[in-house]
Amino acid sequence: MHGVRTYLLIFIVSKLQVQVPPTTTTVGGTTRWNPSPDQIRVLEMLYRGGMRTPNSFQIEQITEELGKYGRIEGKNVFYWFQNHKARERQKQKRAALLTLSTTTTASTLLPPAAETKEGVETKKEEACEDASSRKRRCRAWEDVVVHGGGDDAGTEVADDYYTDDDVTLELFPLRPDQGK
Amino acid sequence: MHGVRTYLLIFIVSKLQVQVPPTTTTVGGTTRWNPSPDQIRVLEMLYRGGMRTPNSFQIEQITEELGKYGRIEGKNVFYWFQNHKARERQKQKRAALLTLSTTTTASTLLPPAAETKEGVETKKEEACEDASSRKRRCRAWEDVVVHGGGDDAGTEVADDYYTDDDVTLELFPLRPDQGK
DNA sequence: GCAAATTAATGATTTATTCAAG
DNA sequence: CTTGAATAAATCATTAATTTGC
C-alpha cells in the first residue's frame, strides 16, 4: 500500500430561481461581502499572528468561525488575505520610498531630482523588497492526485509532511457569462 | 421566500490505499497532469471556438468530457486555459515585435528607434487585443452565497440536477505548510 | 542505440494590477 | 478613497524533447 490518501471534494450546487425582489435590499441583498468589525478583528489577529496565505482547510475553519459574526464565504477569507498582504506590501514599499527620500542621515548628497526620478522608476521595477524567505511552496495537491508513486517498499511514505488528511477545497469564481 | 434555494453539498471523502503497481505507468499517473493528445485536441478546439475563461460550470463539463480520455481535474482545465491564453498572448506580442523590427513594407518612414519604443510601450499598456467586450465580468458567485435562505431540500438530489443551475466548484490549492 | 546532461514546454502558484462597489 | 473581487503577469518546478558522448 502506498499510504492513506484522503481527499475531500466539495461541490456546492445551488439551484435557485433568482426571484429576489430588487426593491428590498435587506439581508441577502448586497453584492459584495462587507466584513463586520468582529470579522476584521479576527482576521487581523490571524494576520498579525503570521498567517498570510491560509490553505483550504484553514480557510474552511476561519470561515466557519467568522460565520458567527455574519454571512461570509470561503472566498471572502481567501481574498481578504490576498488583498491584505498585497496592500501591506505596497504600503511598506511606499513607506520605504518615503523613508529613503526623507532620511537625511545616510545619503544626504543626493539631489531631490534624482530622488524623484528613482522613486518613479522604483515603482515599476523594484517589485520585491522582502527577499528573505523567497521559497515558493509548491507541490500542492501532490497527494490529492491518485498516482502510483514509486515507493513500492512501503517503508516511509513521508507522512510527516501533512499532519492530517489532504483536503482539497476547490474554489472557482463563477462568471455570469462566457462564450465566444 | 422568493425562490427555491436548494443546496447540494457533496463531500467525497475518499480514503483509499492506492494499490497501483508502480511499474506500469498506465493510468495512475504522475504528480502533475499530463494531457493526452485527445484532451489537447478538445481543449484547443474549444479555445479556437472562442472560449478563454470558462466558468465553473463549463469547467465541470469540460472536465467530465475530458475525463473520458484520461484522468483530469477541474483545476487542470482552469490552468490550461489560463496558461494557454497567456502564452498565446506573449507569443503574439513577440511576433508583433519581430514583425515590427523586420517589416519594412508599410511604415518605412518611421525611424527604428520609434518602432522599438512603441514596441516596448505596447508591452506594458496594450494588454487587451480584443477590446470588444472589455467589461470585467464581476458579480461572480453572487448566487452561491448561503444567505439566509431556507434550505431544507439538501438531501434528495439527482445527478441530472444541475443541468442549468449555478454550480460552484471550489478549487483551492493545498499548501504543505503555512506559517504558524 | 542508450542514458546522462541540457534545453524547451508547460503545468501549477504566487504576485501585481485592474475593476468596481460603497 | 478604501477595499472586495477578478484577471493578468511573473515565477517556479517538473516533465518531454533534444543533444551529446559513449
Side-chain angles (χ1 to χ4, degrees):
Chain A
M1 64 182 69
H2 296 77
V4 182
R5 294 195 180 78
T6 319
Y7 50 96
L8 171 76
L9 264 142
I10 304 179
F11 284 14
I12 304 176
V13 181
S14 64
K15 177 197 192 70
L16 53 157
Q17 328 257 91
V18 189
Q19 202 74 329
V20 180
T23 58
T24 62
T25 59
T26 58
V27 283
T30 60
T31 52
R32 81 181 199 183
W33 173 57
N34 203 20
S36 72
D38 282 321
Q39 290 175 333
I40 290 180
R41 187 174 44 73
V42 174
L43 285 170
E44 285 186 342
M45 188 180 65
L46 290 170
Y47 190 89
R48 268 195 298 276
M51 184 174 286
R52 306 238 299 186
T53 52
N55 61 34
S56 55
F57 183 60
Q58 293 170 307
I59 286 176
E60 270 276 297
Q61 292 208 130
I62 296 165
T63 303
E64 196 170 348
E65 172 63 27
L66 295 185
K68 299 172 182 172
Y69 306 118
R71 179 173 59 75
I72 191 173
E73 296 173 78
K75 71 154 192 167
N76 303 130
V77 176
F78 174 72
Y79 282 138
W80 189 90
F81 275 96
Q82 282 218 148
N83 282 318
H84 203 71
K85 178 170 51 171
R87 276 154 186 158
E88 195 81 2
R89 199 158 23 210
Q90 82 179 23
K91 188 179 298 182
Q92 281 201 3
K93 192 191 299 179
R94 188 185 304 267
L97 254 290
L98 271 256
T99 302
L100 258 217
S101 65
T102 56
T103 294
T104 47
T105 59
S107 61
T108 48
L109 44 149
L110 286 171
E115 295 176 19
T116 309
K117 182 174 177 298
E118 186 172 3
V120 172
E121 283 187 2
T122 305
K123 182 187 173 189
K124 263 305 169 194
E125 61 191 358
E126 190 248 350
C128 60
E129 80 289 8
D130 186 59
S132 61
S133 66
R134 214 46 194 148
K135 281 295 172 57
R136 180 185 288 254
R137 284 169 305 269
C138 277
R139 201 66 55 84
W141 296 81
E142 64 173 356
D143 290 330
V144 175
V145 182
V146 180
H147 65 86
D151 49 339
D152 49 329
T155 50
E156 74 281 355
V157 198
D159 261 348
D160 53 18
Y161 220 56
Y162 301 102
T163 54
D164 281 325
D165 302 333
D166 292 356
V167 178
T168 298
L169 207 175
E170 315 210 9
L171 203 160
F172 261 122
L174 176 64
R175 291 173 206 76
D177 183 29
Q178 182 57 29
K180 63 167 176 297
Chain B
M1 168 170 313
H2 327 307
V4 182
R5 295 199 186 84
T6 323
Y7 303 98
L8 169 69
L9 265 97
I10 306 178
F11 283 24
I12 306 175
V13 181
S14 61
K15 199 183 274 280
L16 52 156
Q17 331 257 88
V18 186
Q19 201 76 339
V20 180
T23 57
T24 62
T25 59
T26 58
V27 284
T30 50
T31 53
R32 84 179 196 184
W33 173 58
N34 203 18
S36 72
D38 284 321
Q39 292 174 331
I40 290 180
R41 187 174 44 73
V42 174
L43 285 170
E44 286 186 341
M45 189 180 63
L46 290 170
Y47 189 88
R48 269 193 298 274
M51 184 173 287
R52 307 237 299 188
T53 52
N55 60 34
S56 55
F57 182 59
Q58 293 171 307
I59 286 175
E60 269 278 298
Q61 292 208 131
I62 296 166
T63 304
E64 196 170 346
E65 172 63 28
L66 296 185
K68 299 172 183 172
Y69 306 119
R71 181 175 56 74
I72 192 173
E73 295 173 78
K75 71 156 191 165
N76 303 130
V77 177
F78 175 72
Y79 285 139
W80 189 90
F81 275 94
Q82 282 218 150
N83 282 319
H84 203 71
K85 178 169 50 170
R87 276 155 187 159
E88 196 81 2
R89 201 158 22 211
Q90 82 179 23
K91 189 179 296 181
Q92 282 202 3
K93 193 189 302 178
R94 186 186 305 267
L97 254 289
L98 271 254
T99 303
L100 261 215
S101 65
T102 56
T103 293
T104 48
T105 59
S107 60
T108 48
L109 47 150
L110 286 171
E115 296 177 18
T116 311
K117 182 176 177 299
E118 185 171 5
V120 172
E121 281 186 2
T122 304
K123 180 187 172 189
K124 262 306 169 195
E125 61 191 358
E126 193 248 348
C128 57
E129 79 288 8
D130 186 54
S132 62
S133 66
R134 207 45 196 151
K135 283 295 172 57
R136 181 180 285 253
R137 286 166 303 265
C138 280
R139 204 62 53 87
W141 296 82
E142 63 176 354
D143 296 329
V144 176
V145 180
V146 181
H147 52 77
D151 48 345
D152 315 329
T155 49
E156 70 281 3
V157 277
D159 273 342
D160 58 326
Y161 196 64
Y162 51 99
T163 50
D164 53 353
D165 305 330
D166 292 334
V167 177
T168 297
L169 208 172
E170 316 211 11
L171 205 160
F172 259 123
L174 175 65
R175 290 171 207 79
D177 184 31
Q178 186 50 34
K180 66 170 183 308

